[in-house]
Amino acid sequence: MRRAWGKLSALTLVLLIGVTAVGSWVVRDAVRGQEDRLLHERANEVGLVLKEAVDSLSSQLTTVGGVVRATNDSPAAFGRASQGLVASSSGRDTMALLQKTSGGYRVRLVNGTALQKGQLVSGPVIPTLTRAETVGQMVTTPVLGSGADRELGFALGPPDTPDGTVLYLQLTLGTLGPPTAADTAPFSELHVVLYDAPTVVVGQSLVTTTDDLPLRGHVQLTSVSAGDSVWTLQVSAAHPLVGGATAQAAWITAALGVVLSILLALVVEIETRRRRNALALYRNEHQVAEALQRSLLPALPVVDTLQLAARYLPGSAGQQVGGDWYDVFELDADHIGVAVGDVLGHDIEAAALMSRVQTALRAYAFVGEQPGAVLDRLDRLMASLQTDRLVTVFYGVLGPATEDGSRQLLFANAGHPPPLLVEADGTARELDDASSLLLGVSSTDYGVRPQHETALMADSTLLLYTDGLVEVPGESLTDRVETLLRIVAAEAPRRAPAELCDWLLEALLRGKRRDDVAILVARLVPSAVPEARRHRRLAALRPA
């Protein structure tokens, strides 16, 4: 009996040791896989944040270049357009427009204290400036200087700047080292190092959250595109991302056996559900933000002689709303206003300003102002709001419909992409007349915005859109517009407006976008409603 009990005890002991060993191995493997996945996700999140920041900087440089081109190198306009890039550094960050000369690059316009007007720029930034003249996108310098004098430069050349010039933004990096931040700061659970190089080069470290360089151990590497340059992001966990208890789960399982393994599995499940709930909350908040943006867009009216359709798509995922908008409204029984606009920026302020501009445009239109005068008054409104935001707007008025459905379109354009007009036979062209400066660019020439009138035949299609439909980093804007013109010419005559909107979004964006997109399609058709009934309907719409 004793012998049998001994064997049973040994068998039980061996079985428990085996179960504990297997359980410990399984838990260890699961924890490592979870840690790998979380580190990979967090590295991608950090990379996405950095990419959005770099893309935003590139977009702002492009905007400044556009302002320089549009204002013929106006120092005042350059100062306002570049102020947002240098204002937070007390003058240490500097934005300059450099003119290429035989001896290098000379400062033509400047905002900041690091460079002086007329100064000849030389040294290690010259290769970057030279490359910026040819690649057609933003180029970054290597890390310049050392210690507290470390700097980083960004250069942008033609076609975003006037020929022979380069926009140069010089940012002060300061001493390399971890920032002073609370443990609850974003990504505080990570060690993050960003290198201004396609590989890990300690001497080209831009920012770091640790003094131990380069990172060692379990490290995730991610590439970050910075215009024409490629940066390397190195990420490791400052402490276990799955939690301290979970990281020790294998040892705890080995010590306490099967029961503790089950409890640990429950802990892991709780942590997983907590993360899932947090992600669901994040998605819900994004949907709320998008719903806010869509609520600011008007419903399209029912017009007998027009077929109307519109689409709005937000930019990248995140708690950001934009300033793209469209509008169609009946001014009276015969005249219809059409508009599309874009407030530069992606935040609540941009959405709020968009709402103000849209409402003001309607108000000015309903008092009988012509398109040029409406844009002029909007420009004055922008000045009174004391905002540094820039706004593009196209506004047109469709005149009375003839018996065959044709109309006259009187329009003005403040820096917005020209609409496209497609005739019934597929002939397509841009309505690029009556162009003027963006709203918000300082000007004293009020009352001189041009306007133009053109005929729209029956069954012709008018396409209004924002720049998110055609602007793609690294691709020529001219080529993208020509592609859009070719697609619209082929598809508009045989597709309904709503179908045309969906077709354009799929053909041009292919499910990917970096900016908000607004599209408005209007097709002129002969009225199918008797004239008397039409007037009765319009009279019912007017206030008593």
Side-chain angles (χ1 to χ4, degrees):
M1 187 68 178
R2 288 180 180 178
R3 185 176 181 181
W5 175 252
K7 291 181 178 179
L8 181 59
S9 299
L11 180 61
T12 302
L13 179 60
V14 170
L15 179 62
L16 288 177
I17 291 175
V19 170
T20 300
V22 171
S24 298
W25 183 87
V26 170
V27 172
R28 174 183 175 276
D29 187 67
V31 170
R32 176 169 291 183
Q34 179 79 344
E35 183 79 10
D36 289 345
R37 184 177 66 82
L38 290 176
L39 182 59
H40 180 72
E41 290 179 358
R42 297 300 281 161
N44 287 340
E45 290 173 3
V46 176
L48 180 60
V49 170
L50 291 173
K51 186 178 185 305
E52 289 184 350
V54 172
D55 287 346
S56 176
L57 179 59
S58 177
S59 177
Q60 292 180 73
L61 285 176
T62 301
T63 299
V64 175
V67 171
V68 170
R69 292 176 65 93
T71 59
N72 295 322
D73 304 349
S74 166
F78 172 81
R80 278 185 296 274
S82 61
Q83 188 62 24
L85 292 169
V86 302
S88 62
S89 66
S90 301
R92 291 179 300 167
D93 296 342
T94 298
M95 166 73 80
L97 179 68
L98 308 181
Q99 179 75 49
K100 185 175 183 180
T101 65
S102 58
Y105 292 84
R106 192 169 298 279
V107 178
R108 188 168 171 181
L109 299 174
V110 65
N111 189 353
T113 60
L115 298 173
Q116 302 297 322
K117 185 174 181 181
Q119 177 182 343
L120 185 64
V121 178
S122 60
V125 302
I126 293 299
T128 299
L129 300 177
T130 302
R131 182 166 178 76
E133 284 193 276
T134 60
V135 298
Q137 57 181 316
M138 185 180 71
V139 182
T140 63
T141 67
V143 175
L144 306 173
S146 61
D149 297 325
R150 294 189 321 126
E151 297 171 338
L152 180 67
F154 299 84
L156 181 69
D160 296 301
T161 64
D163 292 340
T165 66
V166 175
L167 272 178
Y168 179 63
L169 174 63
Q170 182 172 292
L171 301 181
T172 300
L173 299 177
T175 303
L176 182 67
T180 303
D183 292 338
T184 56
F187 308 119
S188 62
E189 73 278 23
L190 303 174
H191 290 315
V192 178
V193 186
L194 181 63
Y195 302 95
D196 183 11
T199 59
V200 175
V201 181
V202 175
Q204 289 297 311
S205 303
L206 292 176
V207 292
T208 179
T209 61
T210 177
D211 290 323
D212 186 15
L213 299 180
L215 298 182
R216 296 176 177 82
H218 194 191
V219 178
Q220 283 282 344
L221 291 177
T222 302
S223 295
V224 178
S225 296
D228 182 59
S229 305
V230 177
W231 292 349
T232 299
L233 177 65
Q234 198 178 31
V235 179
S236 66
H239 49 76
L241 299 179
V242 295
T246 305
Q248 300 297 323
W251 294 106
I252 296 174
T253 301
L256 301 181
V258 178
V259 175
L260 192 56
S261 299
I262 296 175
L263 295 177
L264 184 60
L266 293 176
V267 172
V268 172
E269 179 63 18
I270 292 173
E271 292 296 327
T272 301
R273 289 185 181 183
R274 181 179 300 173
R275 179 173 176 80
R276 188 182 301 122
N277 291 338
L279 291 175
L281 177 61
Y282 176 82
R283 288 192 294 268
N284 182 66
E285 290 175 349
H286 175 59
Q287 291 171 357
V288 170
E290 183 177 338
L292 170 62
Q293 171 69 8
R294 293 187 182 278
S295 69
L296 299 176
L297 298 174
L300 297 178
V302 177
V303 182
D304 297 335
T305 56
L306 288 179
Q307 292 178 353
L308 298 170
R311 295 290 185 272
Y312 168 79
L313 293 178
S316 58
Q319 296 307 305
Q320 294 182 333
V321 292
D324 291 22
W325 59 278
Y326 58 81
D327 203 359
V328 180
F329 48 89
E330 293 178 292
L331 293 167
D332 54 37
D334 296 315
H335 296 80
I336 298 171
V338 292
V340 64
D342 184 4
V343 178
L344 274 65
H346 295 84
D347 49 30
I348 294 296
E349 182 182 347
L353 182 58
M354 176 270 282
S355 179
R356 288 185 176 185
V357 172
Q358 180 186 3
T359 302
L361 186 147
R362 276 204 179 200
Y364 299 151
F366 274 106
V367 298
E369 296 280 15
Q370 291 191 337
V374 168
L375 296 188
D376 187 59
R377 294 187 67 178
L378 285 176
D379 203 8
R380 294 178 183 229
L381 173 65
M382 292 286 295
S384 70
L385 294 176
Q386 296 182 342
T387 177
D388 59 356
R389 300 291 179 123
L390 300 176
V391 180
T392 67
V393 177
F394 173 91
Y395 171 55
V397 176
L398 290 166
T402 63
E403 292 183 358
D404 64 356
S406 63
R407 291 175 179 265
Q408 292 294 118
L409 174 65
L410 180 64
F411 64 89
N413 190 343
H416 199 78
L420 306 184
L421 176 63
V422 185
E423 305 292 349
D425 62 358
T427 302
R429 61 187 176 92
E430 286 187 293
L431 300 182
D432 53 3
D433 303 291
S435 296
S436 58
L437 293 178
L438 292 72
L439 304 183
V441 176
S442 178
S443 174
T444 57
D445 298 329
Y446 293 120
V448 296
R449 287 189 181 267
Q451 57 188 24
H452 183 76
E453 188 171 25
T454 188
L456 275 59
M457 298 296 101
D459 293 323
S460 63
T461 302
L462 182 64
L463 170 66
L464 290 79
Y465 63 94
T466 57
D467 55 10
L469 184 64
V470 293
E471 287 190 353
V472 174
E475 296 188 23
S476 167
L477 179 60
T478 300
D479 292 343
R480 293 279 296 178
V481 173
E482 289 178 355
T483 300
L484 172 61
L485 196 61
R486 184 172 62 255
I487 293 175
V488 171
E491 302 297 332
R494 64 190 187 91
R495 294 184 185 273
E499 185 182 1
L500 179 61
C501 288
D502 296 332
W503 178 269
L504 291 176
L505 293 175
E506 178 63 28
L508 290 172
L509 301 180
R510 299 182 181 89
K512 298 179 180 180
R513 57 188 182 276
R514 64 180 290 272
D515 197 1
D516 295 0
V517 179
I519 300 178
L520 175 62
V521 174
R523 177 165 299 160
L524 279 65
V525 295
S527 175
V529 181
E531 188 70 14
R533 179 182 171 188
R534 173 177 176 271
H535 283 296
R536 285 198 302 272
R537 184 181 65 80
L538 290 175
L541 292 174
R542 300 191 191 97

mmCIF file of all heavy atoms in Angstrom, residues 246 262-276:
data_model
loop_
_atom_site.group_PDB
_atom_site.id
_atom_site.type_symbol
_atom_site.label_atom_id
_atom_site.label_comp_id
_atom_site.label_asym_id
_atom_site.label_seq_id
_atom_site.Cartn_x
_atom_site.Cartn_y
_atom_site.Cartn_z
ATOM 1 N N THR A 246 1.603 40.523 -15.524
ATOM 2 C CA THR A 246 1.510 39.655 -16.702
ATOM 3 C C THR A 246 2.893 39.244 -17.185
ATOM 4 O O THR A 246 3.109 38.116 -17.629
ATOM 5 C CB THR A 246 0.749 40.375 -17.826
ATOM 6 O OG1 THR A 246 -0.523 40.797 -17.333
ATOM 7 C CG2 THR A 246 0.539 39.476 -19.018
ATOM 8 N N ILE A 262 -4.951 29.717 -14.308
ATOM 9 C CA ILE A 262 -6.311 30.082 -14.705
ATOM 10 C C ILE A 262 -6.610 31.529 -14.283
ATOM 11 O O ILE A 262 -7.170 32.323 -15.056
ATOM 12 C CB ILE A 262 -7.335 29.112 -14.089
ATOM 13 C CG1 ILE A 262 -7.113 27.696 -14.645
ATOM 14 C CG2 ILE A 262 -8.751 29.583 -14.355
ATOM 15 C CD1 ILE A 262 -7.991 26.635 -14.010
ATOM 16 N N LEU A 263 -6.212 31.869 -13.044
ATOM 17 C CA LEU A 263 -6.448 33.242 -12.586
ATOM 18 C C LEU A 263 -5.697 34.253 -13.450
ATOM 19 O O LEU A 263 -6.212 35.318 -13.783
ATOM 20 C CB LEU A 263 -6.018 33.377 -11.122
ATOM 21 C CG LEU A 263 -6.827 32.565 -10.107
ATOM 22 C CD1 LEU A 263 -6.229 32.746 -8.722
ATOM 23 C CD2 LEU A 263 -8.283 32.998 -10.133
ATOM 24 N N LEU A 264 -4.465 33.893 -13.820
ATOM 25 C CA LEU A 264 -3.688 34.796 -14.668
ATOM 26 C C LEU A 264 -4.332 34.968 -16.037
ATOM 27 O O LEU A 264 -4.345 36.066 -16.597
ATOM 28 C CB LEU A 264 -2.266 34.260 -14.810
ATOM 29 C CG LEU A 264 -1.296 35.140 -15.601
ATOM 30 C CD1 LEU A 264 -1.146 36.499 -14.951
ATOM 31 C CD2 LEU A 264 0.052 34.454 -15.725
ATOM 32 N N ALA A 265 -4.876 33.857 -16.566
ATOM 33 C CA ALA A 265 -5.573 33.965 -17.849
ATOM 34 C C ALA A 265 -6.746 34.934 -17.746
ATOM 35 O O ALA A 265 -7.022 35.701 -18.669
ATOM 36 C CB ALA A 265 -6.049 32.587 -18.302
ATOM 37 N N LEU A 266 -7.435 34.904 -16.586
ATOM 38 C CA LEU A 266 -8.535 35.844 -16.386
ATOM 39 C C LEU A 266 -8.033 37.289 -16.341
ATOM 40 O O LEU A 266 -8.662 38.206 -16.880
ATOM 41 C CB LEU A 266 -9.280 35.511 -15.088
ATOM 42 C CG LEU A 266 -10.056 34.183 -15.086
ATOM 43 C CD1 LEU A 266 -10.662 33.931 -13.707
ATOM 44 C CD2 LEU A 266 -11.141 34.207 -16.153
ATOM 45 N N VAL A 267 -6.885 37.498 -15.697
ATOM 46 C CA VAL A 267 -6.308 38.841 -15.650
ATOM 47 C C VAL A 267 -5.977 39.347 -17.055
ATOM 48 O O VAL A 267 -6.265 40.489 -17.423
ATOM 49 C CB VAL A 267 -5.059 38.864 -14.745
ATOM 50 C CG1 VAL A 267 -4.346 40.199 -14.859
ATOM 51 C CG2 VAL A 267 -5.455 38.595 -13.299
ATOM 52 N N VAL A 268 -5.339 38.435 -17.857
ATOM 53 C CA VAL A 268 -5.011 38.820 -19.230
ATOM 54 C C VAL A 268 -6.276 39.155 -20.013
ATOM 55 O O VAL A 268 -6.320 40.120 -20.792
ATOM 56 C CB VAL A 268 -4.218 37.684 -19.918
ATOM 57 C CG1 VAL A 268 -4.026 37.975 -21.405
ATOM 58 C CG2 VAL A 268 -2.869 37.490 -19.246
ATOM 59 N N GLU A 269 -7.349 38.356 -19.808
ATOM 60 C CA GLU A 269 -8.602 38.626 -20.505
ATOM 61 C C GLU A 269 -9.181 39.980 -20.101
ATOM 62 O O GLU A 269 -9.690 40.740 -20.937
ATOM 63 C CB GLU A 269 -9.604 37.505 -20.186
ATOM 64 C CG GLU A 269 -10.977 37.679 -20.827
ATOM 65 C CD GLU A 269 -10.955 37.654 -22.330
ATOM 66 O OE1 GLU A 269 -9.961 37.172 -22.909
ATOM 67 O OE2 GLU A 269 -11.934 38.125 -22.932
ATOM 68 N N ILE A 270 -9.084 40.283 -18.778
ATOM 69 C CA ILE A 270 -9.579 41.583 -18.318
ATOM 70 C C ILE A 270 -8.804 42.719 -18.965
ATOM 71 O O ILE A 270 -9.379 43.716 -19.431
ATOM 72 C CB ILE A 270 -9.492 41.675 -16.770
ATOM 73 C CG1 ILE A 270 -10.497 40.708 -16.140
ATOM 74 C CG2 ILE A 270 -9.737 43.107 -16.304
ATOM 75 C CD1 ILE A 270 -10.365 40.604 -14.634
ATOM 76 N N GLU A 271 -7.472 42.553 -19.018
ATOM 77 C CA GLU A 271 -6.660 43.598 -19.644
ATOM 78 C C GLU A 271 -6.981 43.740 -21.133
ATOM 79 O O GLU A 271 -7.029 44.848 -21.668
ATOM 80 C CB GLU A 271 -5.172 43.270 -19.458
ATOM 81 C CG GLU A 271 -4.678 43.357 -18.031
ATOM 82 C CD GLU A 271 -4.764 44.764 -17.481
ATOM 83 O OE1 GLU A 271 -4.592 45.713 -18.260
ATOM 84 O OE2 GLU A 271 -5.019 44.916 -16.269
ATOM 85 N N THR A 272 -7.218 42.598 -21.798
ATOM 86 C CA THR A 272 -7.551 42.644 -23.230
ATOM 87 C C THR A 272 -8.883 43.347 -23.454
ATOM 88 O O THR A 272 -9.030 44.159 -24.369
ATOM 89 C CB THR A 272 -7.599 41.213 -23.800
ATOM 90 O OG1 THR A 272 -6.331 40.584 -23.599
ATOM 91 C CG2 THR A 272 -7.910 41.240 -25.285
ATOM 92 N N ARG A 273 -9.872 43.019 -22.596
ATOM 93 C CA ARG A 273 -11.177 43.671 -22.742
ATOM 94 C C ARG A 273 -11.074 45.164 -22.451
ATOM 95 O O ARG A 273 -11.746 45.971 -23.093
ATOM 96 C CB ARG A 273 -12.177 43.018 -21.786
ATOM 97 C CG ARG A 273 -12.575 41.625 -22.207
ATOM 98 C CD ARG A 273 -13.650 41.053 -21.301
ATOM 99 N NE ARG A 273 -14.031 39.703 -21.695
ATOM 100 C CZ ARG A 273 -14.990 38.993 -21.093
ATOM 101 N NH1 ARG A 273 -15.632 39.529 -20.055
ATOM 102 N NH2 ARG A 273 -15.264 37.787 -21.524
ATOM 103 N N ARG A 274 -10.241 45.511 -21.484
ATOM 104 C CA ARG A 274 -10.066 46.933 -21.175
ATOM 105 C C ARG A 274 -9.496 47.680 -22.381
ATOM 106 O O ARG A 274 -9.952 48.767 -22.711
ATOM 107 C CB ARG A 274 -9.133 47.084 -19.967
ATOM 108 C CG ARG A 274 -8.913 48.527 -19.550
ATOM 109 C CD ARG A 274 -7.998 48.597 -18.347
ATOM 110 N NE ARG A 274 -8.568 47.880 -17.205
ATOM 111 C CZ ARG A 274 -7.925 47.659 -16.076
ATOM 112 N NH1 ARG A 274 -6.673 48.074 -15.942
ATOM 113 N NH2 ARG A 274 -8.508 47.018 -15.085
ATOM 114 N N ARG A 275 -8.517 47.053 -23.045
ATOM 115 C CA ARG A 275 -7.949 47.680 -24.236
ATOM 116 C C ARG A 275 -8.993 47.754 -25.357
ATOM 117 O O ARG A 275 -9.094 48.750 -26.062
ATOM 118 C CB ARG A 275 -6.717 46.900 -24.711
ATOM 119 C CG ARG A 275 -6.103 47.495 -25.963
ATOM 120 C CD ARG A 275 -4.792 46.810 -26.308
ATOM 121 N NE ARG A 275 -4.249 47.316 -27.546
ATOM 122 C CZ ARG A 275 -3.577 48.441 -27.673
ATOM 123 N NH1 ARG A 275 -3.356 49.191 -26.601
ATOM 124 N NH2 ARG A 275 -3.114 48.837 -28.846
ATOM 125 N N ARG A 276 -9.774 46.674 -25.507
ATOM 126 C CA ARG A 276 -10.807 46.666 -26.536
ATOM 127 C C ARG A 276 -11.844 47.757 -26.283
ATOM 128 O O ARG A 276 -12.298 48.437 -27.206
ATOM 129 C CB ARG A 276 -11.470 45.285 -26.579
ATOM 130 C CG ARG A 276 -12.427 45.106 -27.751
ATOM 131 C CD ARG A 276 -13.097 43.738 -27.701
ATOM 132 N NE ARG A 276 -12.102 42.684 -27.746
ATOM 133 C CZ ARG A 276 -11.964 41.752 -26.825
ATOM 134 N NH1 ARG A 276 -12.732 41.770 -25.748
ATOM 135 N NH2 ARG A 276 -11.052 40.824 -26.944
#
